[in-house]
Amino acid sequence: MTLDPFYLIVDSADWIDRLVPVGVKLVQLRMKNTPDYRLRDEIRRAKATCAEHGCQLIVNDYWQIAIEEGCDYVHLGQEDLATADVGAIRAAGMKLGLSTHDDAELDIALAARPDYVALGPVWPTILKKMKWAPQGVERLRDWKTRIAPLPLVAIGGLNPDRLPAVFENGADSAAVVTDITLNADPEARTREWIERTARWR
């Protein structure tokens, strides 16, 4: 399995409608504390937009709804993995991505036989309060050695200037949230990310 080197993460179908047409090929819909009816609507809109533009959609956390809506990918954090039915996810033909932050979580993730593994935060992040210190790019190289040939996603504090360090240390894809969604011109910043990741595509 291969992942596009630019992995956008957003919290609404509105963002997907806005940025996927710019040229995004891999996007995660990550919505927290959302009623099921609204989540279904958001997933359906996101699926339609992604299908129209040849973009791969990954649904965060809500694996049951993702199965029911016929999605291709689901991404789980460690807490969600603990309660998820991985067998049902596999039976539905979905691919599975898992978050990791330390050695114990990596062992748990690999036991679930994921299709890719994410490591973070690589640098300090303002997205959410983290109990883990920044991992640093050296940890990416260690993780890649341990999970190969699975793809490795780097997340946390990334920006275009940090991309060479991320990819040179083993990451296959660079995930981004706030560097784009908090930018004064998200469309222009998205184009910059697409251009700056082109050499690893």
Side-chain angles (χ1 to χ4, degrees):
M1 154 182 193
T2 58
L3 294 175
D4 193 85
F6 170 42
Y7 186 155
L8 177 64
I9 301 176
V10 293
D11 64 2
S12 71
D14 286 344
W15 273 116
I16 288 175
D17 288 343
R18 183 174 174 182
L19 296 180
V20 165
V22 171
V24 176
K25 296 303 176 187
L26 178 65
V27 66
Q28 182 186 126
L29 179 62
R30 180 164 72 184
M31 301 178 70
K32 301 294 184 182
N33 305 314
T34 305
D36 283 2
Y37 73 89
R38 184 174 161 222
L39 193 66
R40 286 183 191 280
D41 179 61
E42 295 276 328
I43 289 174
R44 288 170 184 172
R45 285 178 53 204
K47 272 190 70 181
T49 298
C50 288
E52 182 181 351
H53 295 278
C55 178
Q56 180 62 65
L57 174 66
I58 299 175
V59 174
N60 182 270
D61 290 352
Y62 296 95
W63 58 272
Q64 290 152 307
I65 296 176
I67 289 173
E68 291 165 7
E69 294 299 325
C71 296
D72 297 322
Y73 282 79
V74 66
H75 183 97
L76 300 177
Q78 291 280 321
E79 290 180 4
D80 299 289
L81 174 61
T83 59
D85 186 339
V86 175
I89 292 169
R90 293 300 185 199
M94 295 179 69
K95 294 195 183 320
L96 175 65
L98 297 174
S99 294
T100 63
H101 305 88
D102 58 33
D103 292 294
E105 290 191 351
L106 180 59
D107 289 341
I108 291 168
L110 290 177
R113 299 177 58 228
D115 294 282
Y116 74 82
V117 170
L119 172 67
V122 181
W123 284 278
T125 175
I126 62 171
L127 180 63
K128 58 183 176 180
K129 193 162 186 172
M130 287 279 197
K131 65 180 180 181
W132 296 277
Q135 307 277 356
V137 292
E138 300 80 10
R139 200 86 185 270
L140 289 171
R141 186 169 292 283
D142 177 39
W143 245 235
K144 184 60 179 180
T145 299
R146 293 167 68 178
I147 73 169
L150 294 178
L152 175 63
V153 176
I155 187 170
L158 274 66
N159 61 46
D161 292 334
R162 288 172 166 170
L163 290 172
V166 164
F167 289 109
E168 287 162 10
N169 282 280
D172 299 281
S173 188
V176 57
V177 186
T178 56
D179 186 72
I180 287 176
T181 60
L182 296 183
N183 193 277
D185 188 341
E187 287 85 355
R189 191 63 160 178
T190 297
R191 289 187 189 95
E192 181 179 356
W193 270 80
I194 293 169
E195 290 167 6
R196 297 280 287 271
T197 52
R199 63 198 256 204
W200 295 285
R201 187 163 284 110

